[in-house]
Amino acid sequence: MGPLISQVRRYRWFTQLAFAAAQVFAAAGSAAAPAIDFSHDVRPILSENCFSCHGPDKHKGDLRLDIRDSAVKPAKSGEIAIIPNQADKSELVRRITTTDADDHMPPEDSHKKLTAAQVETLKEWVAQGAIYSGHWAFTPPVRPELPAVKDEKWVRNAIDHFILARVEREGLKPSPEADKVTLLRRLSLDLIGLPPTIQEVDAFLADQSADAYEKQVGRLLASPHYGERSGRHWLDAARYADSDGFEKDKPRYVWFYRDYVINSFNHDVPYDRFIIEQLAGDQLPDATQDQVVATGFLRNSMVNEEGGIDPEEFRMEEMFDRMDCIGKSVLGLTIQCAQCHNHKYDPLTQAEYYKLFAFLNNDHEKQQVVYSADELMKLSDLRRQMREIEAELRHKNPDWQERMAKWEEQAVGDQPHWTVIPLEHVGDNSQRYLPQTDGSYLAQGYAPTKLTAVFTWTTHLPTVTAVRLELLPDPNLPCGGPGRSLFGTCALTEFAVDYAPQSEPAKKTKVKIANATADFDQPVIDLESNFYDKSTHHRVTGPVKFAIDGDDNTAWGINAGPGRRNQPRKAVFQFAAPIAPATQPATQPTTQPAGTTITFQLKQNHGGWNSDDLMTNNLGRFRISVTSAPGPVAADPLPQRVRDILSLPKARRTSSQTAEVFSYWRSTVAEWKDANERIEALWKQWLTGSTAFTLMARNDGRTTHILERGDMFKKRESVNAGVPAFLNALPTGAEPTRLTLAQWLVDRKAPTTARVFMNRVWQAYFGTGIVATSEDFGFQVAEPSHPELLDWLAVEFMDSGWRLKHMHRLIVTSATYRQSSRVTPALYVKDPYNRALARGPRFRVEGEIVRDITLAASGLLNPKVGGRSVMPPAPLYLFQPPVSYAPFPWVEETGTEKYRRGLYTFRRRSTPYPVLQTFDVPNGESSCVRRLRSNSPLQALASLNEPTFVECAQ
């Protein structure tokens, strides 16, 4: 047995030795040819050099290299691009290695060329089986394990594990911690955008406690200036500005949105709620004013009111801008590329682009009046006082219900029958009139300051005795209309009517208007003191009789003052005699012949420049009706809303509707004059407020079409709202609303949302994001510097309840952030752009902060938070022709307002504030998530010569 056992033992030894040798050789082989990762190693090569012809958009030769099934099957030519495990038989390998210029890929005219290393990577990848994998950014982030590091003592929190692991991997060492003064200055500029005061520096130096630094972090995160600093970056992404842009570049007063952003960051509103409010705040249950104002995020687009602009065509341009903004700021994808065709590099089809588009395509462009918190309290108090006066009237007059019922019986049936007529707009088409379903017309596009709008109507009615002009509110008008002025008001300079037989259009007869009545006769307002372009005579607005007095300097106005001017109004123009054939005397009533063309002229000459705006006073939405009722016809004195309530049975009216009827009726009761005057005095105290650009869902949805080459005039098939297939799916049965889209964007399964925002937060601290292209996480993106860290940050952000202050605290308390920014020659050679982060951040502050530091250091800074945008000193020639389209009302601030932070400087898109522009501040024309950084002599000159810098120096 002995020799046999010995042989068995020898056999086992040789077997073990052979197995060990095989493992060694296998390890050696894998070291020589490491596994090629498609997403990391191959896709960037194909995306840069091949996808433009063989990618998601173009499929030359029926070949797509972005999809494995296409790449491994025979093309039209019969050739197979990729034969897994057989590089020598794969057409792809042959084409990238051949010396034949006609066959070589990429072709010479593409101006692309693979490096030798890239060729070897592709060959080895095919040889290893051509394994495809999904793009890392399109899979939901998962919290990775913390990597092991050698220098555990250096680590302060989880972030440092990821940073130190790469630093050690590259043979580097982290830099020592910066000194306390440097740290506090860095921390203050990063968290609030202001330098620390001397007192704050002294207090920090004197504090020797172990948590001295953490206390400074807490103090700065609690500062109201924190929201200003963090909010500025979001406002870049939201392309916030204080003017419309384009030719006229009129001012817009939308700073409530800017303050909403600042307050949201200050109150640490969860980011998922922040996104939902900005896309669909108006669609939330019991939406607050702030939530509605938040939808200004989508409305920050530029507005084009050039002459001849097609309103619908430009609305589409605004929609494209909104899509681009969502793509850059939330999704981190260049989705605008799919506006005209399938995305050339990412798996986004044109159909999917317009499916996303459909979520946003069903809204009114609303501009509403908004109030500050103090103003809302004041208005609440005024309403309370009005209610108390009305309650007192009801208490002292217990029979008020019977009296109001008798009045209602008389009021309900005292109006003639009116026929709404279809109009045809003729003449100048610069201001467009869009027909509405109720027979009215909505003025959109270019808004001239002076025009006469002419409309015709061909009728077969036997007679017409009067015309009714209704001015109707509309969400798409300033403050809801019914006019196009800054305040939603309008002025009708003259109203004229003539008619002619349809067969003889030149044979016109002018209609004499005997009387004009209206439901509101405005007291006379002299416009002369408001307008720059003074007329020979005073231009005034007042009662409706001004619209038929033949004087172009007078007009019917509807400005009832704040709180009551944005209501429906109506006027009736009574003819001296019914319209008759031109051959008959105008004083003899007669039957109107069939086929008579009536022309209506609405002259609107009371616009011009005032102290706030290039002011149009045009009618915004109106409807014209006629009647054949005999005898005098007057305008219905009842407000339309009251008449609508009276049309309801009393049992179906709500208590608020009954109160609204009472509020009107009591104003007609002569014996209640004193109470009515007291309420009128309260109305005179009503506040003007400000305005906000918001969204309001339409009741009648629009149909969304795929547009060929993005051209609205080339509609293809229609699409329903939906999301790209390569991202997270919508919940089953989800409604096609903006709220659904917003909730989809911040779903935990959304792969890019948290990553994209955390990347921009990282960029703010370290100058460059973990992904350098903050706006693009698609296939062409460069490899992230710390991919596992980005995923960890994204998951931590979501797990913390989307709380941004928590993430800021993590970053600024890390050892990574606290490193010295000093650069050794050796470190600079090995990592010139500090992508490994073996040292602290070292880059210039942003343009607003350059100015803020100067103001703070000089003691001139006005630290007020929020409020209207201000106009500090600037070269006034910038706001005059020919630099500006027309004189722009840049009124330099006086007192401390001119020393407000740069965040509050009025942002005019066509003439940006020079100092901010010099220091690379974007002008708000499009979404910006990554600012440029320049270093030019102009910056030094600005800091030496600009008036505010000079004052600070003095």
Side-chain angles (χ1 to χ4, degrees):
M1 293 292 294
L4 179 61
I5 293 173
S6 297
Q7 288 178 357
V8 169
R9 285 176 177 169
R10 285 197 296 271
Y11 174 78
R12 286 179 178 173
W13 182 83
F14 280 118
T15 301
Q16 291 171 353
L17 179 62
F19 180 72
Q23 286 184 314
V24 170
F25 291 136
S30 65
I36 304 295
D37 180 76
F38 177 77
S39 182
H40 180 275
D41 302 311
V42 176
R43 191 192 302 274
I45 301 173
L46 299 179
S47 180
E48 175 65 25
N49 299 281
C50 308
F51 281 0
S52 58
C53 295
H54 305 287
D57 182 35
K58 285 187 179 181
H59 319 139
K60 282 189 176 182
D62 195 30
L63 171 63
R64 288 186 64 173
L65 290 174
D66 62 315
I67 297 176
R68 192 177 195 271
D69 288 346
S70 173
V72 300
K73 74 176 183 179
K76 286 182 178 179
S77 62
E79 299 165 337
I80 302 177
I82 296 174
I83 302 176
N85 302 308
Q86 299 183 52
D88 57 330
K89 295 182 180 180
S90 297
E91 184 66 14
L92 170 70
V93 175
R94 187 185 76 79
R95 290 294 191 99
I96 65 175
T97 57
T98 183
T99 57
D100 185 342
D102 292 335
D103 271 1
H104 187 80
M105 291 292 168
E108 187 176 348
D109 59 5
S110 71
H111 306 292
K112 298 179 184 296
K113 186 176 182 180
L114 297 177
T115 66
Q118 289 174 329
V119 170
E120 288 303 313
T121 297
L122 292 177
K123 288 171 61 179
E124 188 60 36
W125 170 65
V126 174
Q128 292 179 8
I131 304 300
Y132 277 69
S133 60
H135 185 47
W136 63 268
F138 299 156
T139 58
V142 176
R143 188 187 293 268
E145 295 292 330
L146 298 183
V149 295
K150 298 176 183 176
D151 188 3
E152 288 279 359
K153 293 181 179 179
W154 184 79
V155 172
R156 290 183 178 271
N157 61 33
I159 291 173
D160 298 326
H161 275 274
F162 297 97
I163 301 300
L164 185 57
R166 174 167 175 180
V167 169
E168 291 178 341
R169 190 165 62 248
E170 298 199 5
L172 300 172
K173 289 185 178 180
S175 297
E177 184 171 304
D179 63 86
K180 293 185 76 172
V181 175
T182 299
L183 267 184
L184 185 59
R185 179 177 173 81
R186 179 189 299 171
L187 187 67
S188 295
L189 291 174
D190 280 343
L191 289 183
I192 66 172
L194 294 172
T197 64
I198 294 174
Q199 294 77 16
E200 289 165 349
V201 171
D202 288 344
F204 183 43
L205 290 174
D207 188 350
Q208 298 301 314
S209 61
D211 62 345
Y213 179 78
E214 284 71 16
K215 286 188 285 188
Q216 295 298 320
V217 172
R219 174 181 65 82
L220 292 169
L221 287 175
S223 168
H225 298 305
Y226 161 81
E228 294 176 320
R229 170 63 174 149
S230 294
R232 179 64 258 172
H233 295 143
W234 185 260
L235 292 171
D236 283 356
R239 71 260 190 259
Y240 172 83
D242 297 296
S243 72
D244 287 346
F246 290 105
E247 174 190 57
K248 293 174 181 57
D249 203 13
K250 291 161 51 179
R252 56 171 63 163
Y253 303 96
V254 293
W255 49 267
F256 262 74
Y257 172 76
R258 182 201 62 216
D259 285 4
Y260 159 81
V261 171
I262 294 171
N263 292 333
S264 295
F265 282 108
N266 274 335
H267 291 105
D268 205 16
V269 171
Y271 183 69
D272 58 344
R273 190 178 117 198
F274 183 62
I275 293 298
I276 288 173
E277 289 179 349
Q278 290 184 94
L279 266 73
D282 60 308
Q283 296 181 347
L284 293 172
D286 302 317
T288 65
Q289 175 181 277
D290 278 353
Q291 288 171 332
V292 176
V293 166
T295 61
F297 169 70
L298 292 174
R299 288 291 316 280
N300 279 326
S301 307
M302 297 198 293
V303 172
N304 192 343
E305 289 188 355
E306 295 175 1
I309 186 70
D310 184 322
E312 179 61 15
E313 183 178 11
F314 186 72
R315 188 187 72 82
M316 297 302 289
E317 294 298 327
E318 288 184 294
M319 295 293 295
F320 295 145
D321 174 74
R322 291 170 195 175
M323 290 286 287
D324 174 57
C325 180
I326 291 174
K328 288 178 179 174
S329 63
V330 185
L331 285 171
L333 297 171
T334 55
I335 62 174
Q336 72 274 18
C337 296
Q339 173 186 323
C340 300
H341 48 71
N342 293 341
H343 202 295
K344 288 186 179 296
Y345 304 104
D346 297 337
L348 176 68
T349 67
Q350 189 182 20
E352 289 173 331
Y353 174 89
Y354 284 99
K355 286 180 179 181
L356 280 174
F357 188 101
F359 282 110
L360 309 179
N361 198 26
N362 294 300
D363 297 293
H364 293 294
E365 311 281 294
K366 187 178 181 184
Q367 180 182 341
Q368 70 179 63
V369 180
V370 289
Y371 302 96
S372 67
D374 290 342
E375 288 174 332
L376 288 172
M377 291 180 63
K378 169 73 172 175
L379 296 181
S380 178
D381 184 58
L382 290 174
R383 290 192 189 95
R384 177 189 57 78
Q385 294 181 62
M386 292 178 188
R387 288 195 299 268
E388 288 177 353
I389 295 172
E390 291 186 337
E392 182 183 352
L393 283 175
R394 289 191 288 267
H395 177 72
K396 290 182 178 180
N397 299 274
D399 62 341
W400 67 272
Q401 288 177 309
E402 293 81 5
R403 293 172 64 184
M404 192 170 82
K406 289 181 180 179
W407 164 83
E408 181 178 333
E409 290 177 5
Q410 178 272 328
V412 167
D414 65 349
Q415 287 296 301
H417 174 72
W418 291 97
T419 301
V420 175
I421 60 174
L423 300 174
E424 181 180 349
H425 178 231
V426 297
D428 182 11
N429 201 33
S430 57
Q431 179 169 263
R432 305 298 179 97
Y433 292 94
L434 309 181
Q436 307 297 297
T437 55
D438 63 353
S440 65
Y441 292 82
L442 176 64
Q444 292 285 271
Y446 176 52
T449 56
K450 294 182 180 181
L451 85 158
T452 298
V454 180
F455 299 87
T456 62
W457 169 57
T458 300
T459 178
H460 297 275
L461 288 176
T463 185
V464 175
T465 59
V467 176
R468 181 180 67 182
L469 173 66
E470 295 175 274
L471 306 179
L472 306 173
D474 191 278
N476 300 286
L477 296 170
C479 304
R484 299 194 73 185
S485 82
L486 182 67
F487 304 109
T489 55
C490 55
L492 181 61
T493 305
E494 288 292 316
F495 182 79
V497 180
D498 61 50
Y499 69 96
Q502 186 179 11
S503 59
E504 299 178 87
K507 197 174 181 181
K508 291 185 177 181
T509 300
K510 185 175 181 179
V511 176
K512 181 179 180 181
I513 298 177
N515 188 35
T517 55
D519 65 339
F520 174 71
D521 271 334
Q522 178 195 289
V524 175
I525 297 176
D526 186 352
L527 301 182
E528 189 71 9
S529 60
N530 294 333
F531 286 84
Y532 286 146
D533 53 345
K534 304 288 193 275
S535 302
T536 305
H537 301 92
H538 286 295
R539 290 190 300 158
V540 299
T541 57
V544 71
K545 67 180 181 180
F546 281 0
I548 59 170
D549 63 0
D551 185 352
D552 282 358
N553 291 299
T554 63
W556 174 42
I558 61 166
N559 193 344
R564 295 187 294 180
R565 57 190 168 206
N566 305 116
Q567 298 181 17
R569 297 297 179 192
K570 51 203 164 190
V572 168
F573 300 93
Q574 177 79 51
F575 298 162
I579 287 182
T583 57
Q584 298 294 326
T587 56
Q588 295 181 10
T590 185
T591 299
Q592 181 184 22
T596 298
T597 299
I598 302 178
T599 301
F600 306 91
Q601 297 181 31
L602 290 78
K603 184 178 284 187
Q604 299 153 74
N605 281 5
H606 279 62
W609 277 98
N610 74 359
S611 59
D612 294 317
D613 196 3
L614 175 60
M615 191 82 159
T616 176
N617 255 333
N618 297 348
L619 278 59
R621 183 175 176 182
F622 63 90
R623 181 169 56 199
I624 290 181
S625 310
V626 297
T627 186
S628 300
V633 179
D636 182 5
L638 288 181
Q640 188 60 46
R641 182 168 172 79
V642 173
R643 185 162 289 283
D644 291 342
I645 296 172
L646 295 184
S647 68
L648 298 172
K650 291 182 181 178
R652 289 177 51 195
R653 297 176 194 172
T654 65
S655 57
S656 62
Q657 288 175 326
T658 300
E660 190 168 351
V661 174
F662 177 83
S663 293
Y664 174 77
W665 170 67
R666 57 95 185 145
S667 69
T668 67
V669 180
E671 65 192 76
W672 292 351
K673 179 181 177 182
D674 289 345
N676 289 331
E677 287 179 348
R678 287 163 57 199
I679 291 176
E680 186 64 25
L682 293 173
W683 273 115
K684 291 187 182 334
Q685 299 176 46
W686 205 264
L687 303 173
T688 300
S690 188
T691 56
F693 281 14
T694 63
L695 289 174
M696 186 176 96
R698 291 163 51 104
N699 293 325
D700 52 331
R702 295 185 178 99
T703 300
T704 298
H705 294 267
I706 298 174
L707 303 180
E708 185 177 335
R709 304 299 300 173
D711 186 342
M712 66 163 283
F713 298 106
K714 296 179 180 179
K715 294 179 179 178
R716 287 166 40 194
E717 64 271 22
S718 63
V719 294
N720 296 320
V723 298
F726 67 93
L727 298 175
N728 51 306
L730 280 173
T732 303
E735 293 292 323
T737 65
R738 280 183 283 110
L739 183 57
T740 294
L741 175 64
Q743 292 168 336
W744 171 78
L745 286 169
V746 294
D747 190 281
R748 278 298 296 253
K749 296 177 182 177
T752 62
T753 302
R755 282 182 174 124
V756 164
F757 193 62
M758 282 297 96
N759 189 66
R760 293 215 302 275
V761 170
W762 193 265
Q763 173 184 271
Y765 284 111
F766 297 99
T768 305
I770 294 173
V771 175
T773 51
S774 305
E775 69 284 357
D776 184 9
F777 274 49
F779 284 170
Q780 285 197 300
V781 65
E783 181 72 12
S785 62
H786 301 81
E788 294 83 7
L789 172 59
L790 182 58
D791 281 6
W792 189 93
L793 290 170
V795 175
E796 178 69 17
F797 186 36
M798 293 186 286
D799 285 350
S800 72
W802 300 85
R803 298 285 182 177
L804 185 56
K805 286 189 177 182
H806 169 72
M807 302 308 296
H808 281 308
R809 189 184 301 274
L810 271 175
I811 292 172
V812 300
T813 55
S814 68
T816 302
Y817 177 79
R818 295 163 69 161
Q819 294 177 95
S820 168
S821 60
R822 291 178 180 171
V823 188
T824 64
L827 181 56
Y828 183 80
V829 168
K830 191 152 189 176
D831 187 14
Y833 299 107
N834 197 28
R835 296 297 280 153
L837 292 174
R839 58 180 172 86
R842 185 187 185 97
F843 57 93
R844 282 187 169 188
V845 296
E846 293 155 350
E848 297 94 338
I849 300 180
V850 172
R851 186 173 182 274
D852 294 346
I853 289 173
T854 308
L855 288 168
S858 67
L860 291 176
L861 178 70
N862 177 353
K864 175 183 173 183
V865 176
R868 67 176 179 88
S869 297
V870 296
M871 297 180 176
L876 295 183
Y877 73 85
L878 292 175
F879 309 103
Q880 299 294 325
V883 178
S884 181
Y885 164 80
F888 183 85
W890 187 274
V891 181
E892 289 189 2
E893 304 292 341
T894 58
T896 60
E897 287 297 295
K898 66 179 178 180
Y899 303 127
R900 304 273 323 267
R901 295 191 67 172
L903 172 68
Y904 301 110
T905 298
F906 191 97
R907 302 294 173 94
R908 189 174 190 230
R909 285 173 159 129
S910 63
T911 50
Y913 191 65
V915 170
L916 299 184
Q917 185 182 33
T918 301
F919 285 95
D920 306 314
V921 173
N923 62 5
E925 290 186 352
S926 60
S927 179
C928 175
V929 295
R930 182 168 48 124
R931 288 189 179 188
L932 298 175
R933 283 197 199 95
S934 67
N935 184 355
S936 77
L938 285 177
Q939 294 167 344
L941 289 171
S943 63
L944 290 171
N945 294 281
E946 194 273 334
T948 301
F949 281 89
V950 172
E951 285 189 62
C952 291
Q954 290 171 341

